[in-house]
Structure formats: structure tokens, C-alpha cells
Amino acid sequence: MDNKLIVTAAPHITGADSTQKIMGRVCLALCPALVASVIIFGVNALILTAVTVAACVFFEWGYCKLMGREVPVADLSAVVTGMLLAFNMPASMPWWMAIVGAFIAIVIIKQLFGGLGFNFANPAIVGRIALAVGFASRMANYPKPENGIDALASATPLAVEKGVLGAGEYVTLLLGNHGGVLGETCAIAILVGGIYLIATKVISPMIPVTYLATVAVLSLIGGYDPIVQLLSGGLMLGAFFMATDYVTSPTTDKGKLIAGIFMGVVTCAIRFFGTMSEGVSFAILLMNLVTPYIDALTRQDKLGIAKKKKEAAAK
């Protein structure tokens, strides 16, 4: 028989996308922010990103070789982690500290838990938090923009926003002419990349839209400027590129809605009432930790299960 009925295990519907293609699109979406950071902070931004990416790729290759595993460097996930980690550091960050962050992200958070698909949290987020705790002064050492404009260069807008910023600074926030880490400066570049990810269906708009909307609403209620809160800090980068990680974010639409609201509440609580001016990293990490519970509570019941429960109750 030429035509045989071949039965295989689920899933039976597949797509043309692969991990490599998806990660490649994420890298492409991060390029506008990378170009903007180089324009704003100079060539150090490009060198820091290259060092961090190279370190992440090397640690993934080295660990897998050491453990006798298949080397997954070609899937570009380590490259994405390296770029995101670099975007969470100031351009003045010493290279060896960036390498330490790459080791924590790739080896401790990703590979020790089994590699891609098994990590309990976003590796770049944990790497960023570890660097912020271990090298607090260096992580807060924000260089001035090198493009001739030094508005708000001494600190991030969140550190000075208490009614100080006026309407003129909105343009500064959009263009990124202020102090901060590489990925929290040019909001336009991050937004362009995020829209590209949504348009190419790499990510769902549910989490970033819900996250940003929650922060905006709570800012209005709390008496803070919602535009400043949305365009400052790592909110844009976190909402589009880090909170939407496939492995560590909820899979259901209800779960994504809950996650977005949860992160918005935590971010605003830290920003408004905490001693830190930023709260995105901790909000995303906490969401990563509760994602299994969100999925369990919002997962659709198997076909027939709800019906059987109703029949049993009727009897």
C-alpha cells in the first residue's frame, strides 16, 4: 500500500517556525535599541553588548561540552540572553562584571536547570538582579549621553520624577537623551521592536498591553505622571522583550492577563513605596515564579471533564 495511515504522537499540527527563527526575530527587534544606544552612549555600548553576547555563547558552549550535551548555540537563545543582559547594564559597566552576569544567566539559571525550556526564570532578569545586588554602585553609574545633549544625564528620569519633569522632557524620554542602562533610554526604539514582534506574531500583545495599561492606571490613581512612568526605566524593555518569554510566562490568555496586571501592581508598588526607583526586574521575576500556579488555575479543562462533573452533581 502506497498510502498508509501513520499514527504519531501529538501535536499533529506543526508550524514552519523554529527556535532559531523566533530568536532571530527577537535579535532583529532589539537592533533599533542597540543602534540608539550606540548613538546615545558611544561605541562602548556596542562593545559591552558584543562582550556579553560572546560570554553567553561561550558559557553555553563550554557547559554543554563539559557535560557531554548537544550544543544548542545555533538556536540563538544565548545571543538573545546576552543582548537583553547587556541592555540591562550601563555603557560604563566593566567588561568582567558583564561576564559574571553572563555566567549567572547562562550556567546557573539556564543550564543547571536543564537548558532552554526548563529554566524557572528569565536568565537575563536574574543576571541583572544579581549584578544590581553585587555591584550596586557600578550598575547605578550612568554615563552622560555622547550626542551633545545632556538633559537628565545625571540620573534616570525615575530617580528625579517627583513633579520635576515638564512637558519638554517627554521628547527627551522618547529619544533617550538621559542617563540609564542601554535598554531603558530610547523608548521609540524599544517600541518599534515590540511592534515588530507583535506584527510577526512572535509574541502576543496581551502581556505588554496589560502590563503597560496597569502601570498607567495606577500612576494616575497615585498622582504620578503616567507618561513618565511608561517611558522611563526598563518598563518598555521588560514588557515587550522579557515578560513575554515563552518559557517563564503563562500560556493561556487569562493567565497572560493576570500576569500583566500582577506585574503592573508590583512595579508600581516598588516605584511608589519602595526605596528603589525601579521595580520592573523584580516584578518580572516574581511573575516567573508564580507562572506555574497561574497556568494551573487558568488552564482549560479537558474535553468532557466539566460535563462529567455536572452529571455527577446532578445524580
Side-chain angles (χ1 to χ4, degrees), residues 25-138:
R25 290 172 189 157
V26 176
C27 291
L28 183 61
L30 287 169
C31 285
L34 177 59
V35 172
S37 67
V38 174
I39 294 174
I40 295 169
F41 297 113
V43 70
N44 281 343
L46 181 61
I47 296 175
L48 179 65
T49 303
V51 169
T52 309
V53 169
C56 286
V57 171
F58 172 77
F59 285 133
E60 182 155 280
W61 172 85
Y63 183 87
C64 291
K65 281 291 186 181
L66 183 64
M67 301 303 295
R69 297 180 183 174
E70 181 181 355
V71 179
V73 170
D75 65 14
L76 300 181
S77 61
V79 176
V80 171
T81 298
M83 293 185 71
L84 289 174
L85 181 59
F87 281 21
N88 279 276
M89 293 184 285
S92 59
M93 194 73 173
W95 297 353
W96 70 269
M97 292 184 184
I99 294 174
V100 171
F103 177 84
I104 294 172
I106 294 296
V107 177
I108 297 179
I109 302 302
K110 184 180 179 183
Q111 290 300 332
L112 284 181
F113 286 90
L116 183 65
F118 297 95
N119 46 289
F120 71 95
N122 188 302
I125 282 290
V126 180
R128 191 266 182 199
I129 293 175
L131 291 176
V133 173
F135 308 108
S137 60
R138 298 300 305 187

Side-chain angles (χ1 to χ4, degrees), residues 53 77 79 115 128 146-147 177 195 203 276:
V53 169
S77 61
V79 176
R128 191 266 182 199
E146 295 186 0
N147 54 11
N177 296 310
I195 293 174
I203 65 172
M276 298 179 296

Side-chain angles (χ1 to χ4, degrees), residues 218-231:
L218 292 179
S219 298
L220 284 173
I221 295 174
Y224 291 82
D225 189 333
I227 297 179
V228 173
Q229 292 298 321
L230 290 176
L231 300 182

Side-chain angles (χ1 to χ4, degrees), residues 249-256 258 291-302 305 309:
S249 63
T251 57
T252 64
D253 287 340
K254 290 181 181 178
K256 293 174 182 177
I258 293 172
T291 287
Y293 303 101
I294 295 176
D295 272 338
L297 293 173
T298 60
R299 187 178 293 118
Q300 182 179 355
D301 289 333
K302 296 179 181 178
I305 297 298
K309 288 180 179 179

Side-chain angles (χ1 to χ4, degrees), residues 193-217:
I195 293 174
Y196 169 78
L197 292 182
I198 294 174
T200 54
K201 297 183 178 180
V202 173
I203 65 172
S204 165
M206 183 71 73
I207 287 180
V209 170
T210 306
Y211 190 3
L212 296 175
T214 302
V215 171
V217 171

